[in-house]
Amino acid sequence: MNQEERERFYLGKFLDALAFSCQKIDRGADPPDFVIHSSGAKIAIEITEFYSDAKGATGDPRQLVEREWDKLRDVIAKAREQYPELKEINCHILFMELGVPSRRDHQKFADELVGFVIKNLAMLTEESQDFKILSNDFPLLKKYVAKIRLNKAGCYITWDWNHSVGFVGLSEDELSGVISRKTGQDNSENSCSETWLLIIGDGGEGISQSMGLPHIDELNSFGTVNGILGGSSFDRVYIFQYLLDRIFEWRRGRGWLLVRDRER
């Protein structure tokens, strides 16, 4: 999906989750992204996605590194498909840092990985074993990988990396950064009765979009965030944790409330 398609997708899911009835959604002047028509009222809405501030080894934002890993994983999957003996092997790659080889080296990295696993195949059992890359026959593995964890699979087969997990949480600095980028522009339209900001978190883009489980008391204690919102043009701000189906709402003069939680 392109940017507008993604925004429309999340907006539709958000309105459904909020049980908010609208007759029509128009593309806005950017800003705002959209104008919602509901019961004779018009609401300007700006949409943004949350991403962690975490950086990779080369300074790239984490979400970019995750996307590069997705591309590398596809190359690895195709490389190992050629070897039937690898169909029952789990492989967990522990990279030294949050970073993967450049795209020009993806195929060579995948070939080295497959070769390394095949070389150690006879030693594998159902118990996980860690292997360090000591041989100069695998220069890219040696450069990027601390160790490779291998075992014969009981049932479910995975070839993954160690950065599929990590710190998950929503810091005040990260949230204030997301909001500040939107408060520096005029998101209002003269014909609209309200202006909303919709922040999408946990949108399925990996750990970089994960907010954890922020608490209402925590959000209401964020003095910098709430100060920025108080001086902004937004009448309401929503945090929509898409995969968790949770919605937080900030309203001027009232603060934050948890207005939807699938677990409740």
Side-chain angles (χ1 to χ4, degrees), residues 180-224:
S180 293
R181 287 192 287 274
K182 293 298 180 180
T183 54
Q185 57 191 27
D186 183 7
N187 299 282
S188 61
E189 284 198 359
N190 293 333
S191 60
C192 293
S193 56
E194 287 192 359
T195 302
W196 295 2
L197 171 63
L198 173 58
I199 302 169
I200 307 297
D202 298 272
E205 292 286 323
I207 296 297
S208 60
Q209 275 202 311
S210 298
M211 291 181 164
L213 294 171
H215 193 272
I216 285 298
D217 292 342
E218 183 180 21
L219 290 174
N220 281 316
S221 72
F222 284 172
T224 300

Side-chain angles (χ1 to χ4, degrees), residues 241-259:
Q241 293 186 270
Y242 168 62
L243 292 179
L244 300 179
D245 200 14
R246 301 174 88 224
I247 300 176
F248 294 92
E249 178 190 72
W250 175 90
R251 288 198 195 187
R252 188 173 302 281
R254 193 183 70 175
W256 291 94
L257 288 176
L258 180 62
V259 295

Side-chain angles (χ1 to χ4, degrees), residues 53-188:
D53 285 341
K55 304 290 185 182
T58 60
D60 291 328
R62 179 173 180 130
Q63 73 267 24
L64 295 183
V65 181
E66 289 174 352
R67 290 171 188 166
E68 289 304 301
W69 160 249
D70 287 339
K71 294 182 184 300
L72 174 57
R73 183 171 54 185
D74 289 342
V75 177
I76 292 171
K78 290 179 181 177
R80 69 186 178 95
E81 281 176 0
Q82 304 172 43
Y83 300 89
E85 61 268 40
L86 299 182
K87 289 183 178 179
E88 297 182 356
I89 301 299
N90 282 325
C91 176
H92 193 66
I93 312 164
L94 288 88
F95 284 83
M96 295 178 186
E97 298 181 277
L98 179 60
V100 298
S102 61
R103 292 187 192 181
R104 67 176 178 273
D105 289 328
H106 281 189
Q107 188 62 57
K108 188 173 188 304
F109 182 92
D111 292 340
E112 286 187 18
L113 178 63
V114 167
F116 184 86
V117 175
I118 290 175
K119 180 179 179 180
N120 292 283
L121 210 54
M123 302 172 59
L124 302 186
T125 67
E126 290 189 0
E127 295 294 323
S128 293
Q129 299 179 62
D130 288 348
F131 294 84
K132 290 188 175 181
I133 297 86
L134 302 176
S135 171
N136 291 326
D137 293 338
F138 307 100
L140 282 176
L141 294 186
K142 198 170 184 179
K143 179 179 179 180
Y144 289 97
V145 177
K147 55 187 175 182
I148 297 174
R149 186 165 295 152
L150 300 170
N151 71 288
K152 289 184 177 179
C155 53
Y156 186 64
I157 313 299
T158 61
W159 284 54
D160 211 342
W161 69 336
N162 53 317
H163 296 293
S164 58
V165 296
F167 172 77
V168 175
L170 178 63
S171 72
E172 180 171 14
D173 286 345
E174 287 177 324
L175 184 57
S176 62
V178 170
I179 294 171
S180 293
R181 287 192 287 274
K182 293 298 180 180
T183 54
Q185 57 191 27
D186 183 7
N187 299 282
S188 61

Side-chain angles (χ1 to χ4, degrees), residues 229-240:
L229 290 177
S232 74
S233 62
F234 295 115
D235 299 288
R236 303 190 199 187
V237 175
Y238 290 95
I239 296 174
F240 179 32

